[in-house]
Amino acid sequence: MAKTRHQQIRHNTTLAIFIAIILLQDFVPFFGNIPLGPLSITTLHVTVIIAAIVLGPVDGAIIGGIWGLLTWVRAFVAPSSPLAPLVFVNPLVSVVPRIMIGILAGYTFILMCRLFKVKYIAAVSAAIVGALTNTGLVLGFIYLFYRTPAVAQTYGVNVKHLLIALETVMATNGLAELILAIIIVPMVALPVLEVRRRLEVN
């Protein structure tokens, strides 16, 4: 069904708000990226997942893509960690995983809603898939493209132990980002969805 003019305006306004939040998170220190040694724990994936749930996979991919572009640009001009200028200058590492968060989280929410009819379960599932997509693809691409001494050194290991170091990051940073998403995504996304539903009814 085609959207009415008012629905389209509300949709575009919501999309603009998510874009503004992503920009704020990316530019305000310790708000979107929390540096920890050579690594950086991010909270921006939570916003992308929420956008994918509220607006759908396509808009979730747009929000994720904007985050990815910001990550790519920052890798050149204002890196968030010592690792960033080594790996995030590659769009496959900085941009593609962020886009995939929106796509996979959005479609996961839709699928789980159809299967279980319980939005909370669907939101938690989307949070899990989105967080794992981000961490898994970023670390996977780093291992695939950057098995180099310079990258290994940022993790404090040699190239032979880079895989173990990345697995450790997955189990620490990745776990922290996963738990953050599981807690925050349902708390924010579901009330926003309900507000949007009531506005559409009225």
Side-chain angles (χ1 to χ4, degrees):
M1 186 190 309
K3 293 181 180 179
T4 67
R5 182 171 177 272
H6 290 296
Q7 287 175 329
Q8 188 62 52
I9 290 173
R10 281 198 295 265
H11 179 92
N12 292 342
T13 300
T14 306
L15 181 62
I17 290 172
F18 276 113
I19 292 173
I21 292 172
I22 283 288
L23 291 171
L24 187 64
Q25 284 181 286
D26 191 72
F27 285 107
V28 176
F30 296 97
F31 186 32
N33 293 290
I34 305 171
L36 287 177
L39 307 174
S40 180
I41 294 179
T42 183
T43 62
L44 285 94
H45 67 299
V46 173
T47 304
V48 177
I49 297 168
I50 293 170
I53 290 173
V54 173
L55 298 176
V58 174
D59 288 316
I62 291 172
I63 299 298
I66 290 171
W67 172 28
L69 288 173
L70 290 170
T71 303
W72 179 70
V73 171
R74 283 175 64 87
F76 291 97
V77 299
S80 60
S81 71
L83 185 66
L86 298 176
V87 300
F88 286 139
V89 291
N90 184 344
L92 284 176
V93 182
S94 56
V95 180
V96 172
R98 308 337 189 176
I99 293 174
M100 293 306 300
I101 294 172
I103 293 173
L104 295 181
Y107 280 115
T108 297
F109 181 76
I110 292 170
L111 177 62
M112 296 302 284
C113 279
R114 291 175 181 172
L115 289 176
F116 295 100
K117 312 296 182 183
V118 179
K119 288 185 178 180
Y120 181 82
I121 294 176
V124 170
S125 300
I128 293 171
V129 169
L132 291 179
T133 296
N134 181 51
T135 306
L137 287 182
V138 170
L139 295 181
F141 283 144
I142 288 175
Y143 184 72
L144 184 63
F145 297 118
Y146 293 101
R147 291 196 297 272
T148 64
V151 170
Q153 188 175 8
T154 63
Y155 289 102
V157 299
N158 58 40
V159 176
K160 291 182 180 179
H161 297 104
L162 181 59
L163 179 59
I164 296 175
L166 294 175
E167 290 173 344
T168 302
V169 173
M170 185 77 174
T172 53
N173 289 47
L175 181 60
E177 292 173 2
L178 175 62
I179 293 172
L180 184 69
I182 290 173
I183 293 172
I184 295 179
V185 167
M187 290 176 58
V188 177
L190 297 183
V192 173
L193 274 176
E194 180 61 22
V195 170
R196 282 173 59 83
R197 186 191 67 79
R198 292 181 181 180
L199 287 173
E200 289 175 1
V201 170
N202 296 330

